[in-house]
Each structure stands twice: as structure tokens, then as C-alpha cells.
Amino acid sequence: HIEPKDVAKFYQEQFRVLRPGGLIISLNIPRKFSIQFLNIFKKSDYVRSGLSFKEYSGAMFQAGFPYTRVVNVNPFPLFTNIPRFFEFPLVIIFMGIYWVRSLFMVDGFYGSEKWSQSHIICAVKPPKKI
């Protein structure tokens, strides 16, 4: 989990240590309204960034990755630090919703930028020129 001010440095370091042709996969959680904001009694265990997927992609491009692929995922609110007895019913409910969504979509876990609670960015470090 990376603070927004450190994203560019993070991707520069990832580019530096990644071998040519290597793949980077980055899961990012943007700051947006979520049921998680109602959980005022416990501190969240992840950083929500104010950056959009376009800003993350831009930071990757500036680090040297020429092309990024973004997939918006998890179209439902993220629940963390909830009592255990809530977890199982939520999993069953979400599994049912994902199954119904998968009847109409390639994958029920995909979402749009507006509704998704996270996004995955993939990029490949270019191979060395001969």
C-alpha cells in the first residue's frame, strides 16, 4: 500500500529491478465512497489513494513502462475489520451476485471505474534492444 506522494518513486524502483520482459501487476484501491467509511471504530488496514487509474498509469509510463492495461474490479464495497459472524453471510451474498453478473458478463468481478472499489494495472518492462 503506497501513499499517493510515493507512487512515482515506487514504479521507478519497480522498473529498475524488473528484468527486461518482466511483468508488474499492481492492485490499487482508490479513495471513493464505500460502506467502509461507516466503520469508524477500527482503523483500516490499507491505504486508500486519491489517485485515479489514469494517474497510476501515467506514473507507470513515466517510470518507463510504455503500455499499461487497467482492469476495474470489485464492483461492491470493501468490508474490512468486521465481526466474523458477518463475514460468511456477506461472502455467500457476494458469491450469488457475482454468479448472476457472470451470466451477463465475461466475468462478474469486472466493473467500471465509477463503481469499482479497486483496479489492477499490468505492465511489461520492454525487452532489451539488440
Side-chain angles (χ1 to χ4, degrees):
H1 302 288
I2 308 159
E3 293 290 344
K5 63 182 174 49
D6 299 326
V7 168
K9 290 178 189 176
F10 171 78
Y11 287 135
Q12 290 167 358
E13 180 63 10
Q14 296 301 310
F15 186 85
R16 185 187 72 77
V17 300
L18 197 63
R19 71 173 190 208
L23 172 69
I24 180 173
I25 300 172
S26 177
L27 172 66
N28 306 299
I29 303 173
R31 182 176 295 117
K32 49 176 57 176
F33 181 75
S34 170
I35 194 75
Q36 185 62 34
F37 290 111
L38 299 177
N39 191 354
I40 59 174
F41 300 107
K42 294 185 180 180
K43 186 176 184 232
S44 177
D45 59 350
Y46 56 83
V47 174
R48 284 184 172 266
S49 167
L51 302 178
S52 69
F53 77 83
K54 292 176 184 173
E55 291 168 307
Y56 278 101
S57 291
M60 289 181 99
F61 181 79
Q62 288 178 337
F65 296 100
Y67 174 76
T68 59
R69 170 79 167 104
V70 178
V71 178
N72 292 293
V73 294
N74 196 15
F76 302 107
L78 300 171
F79 295 92
T80 60
N81 299 321
I82 61 173
R84 283 198 163 285
F85 60 87
F86 283 134
E87 288 181 11
F88 184 73
L90 281 175
V91 167
I92 297 302
I93 291 168
F94 282 178
M95 284 177 62
I97 293 170
Y98 287 132
W99 178 78
V100 170
R101 286 174 56 97
S102 70
L103 297 175
F104 304 99
M105 304 171 68
V106 173
D107 188 325
F109 199 62
Y110 290 169
S112 66
E113 179 184 6
K114 180 177 180 179
W115 295 106
S116 291
Q117 296 297 311
S118 54
H119 58 262
I120 298 170
I121 302 179
C122 302
V124 176
K125 183 174 181 176
K128 287 184 179 181
K129 295 181 180 178
I130 300 175

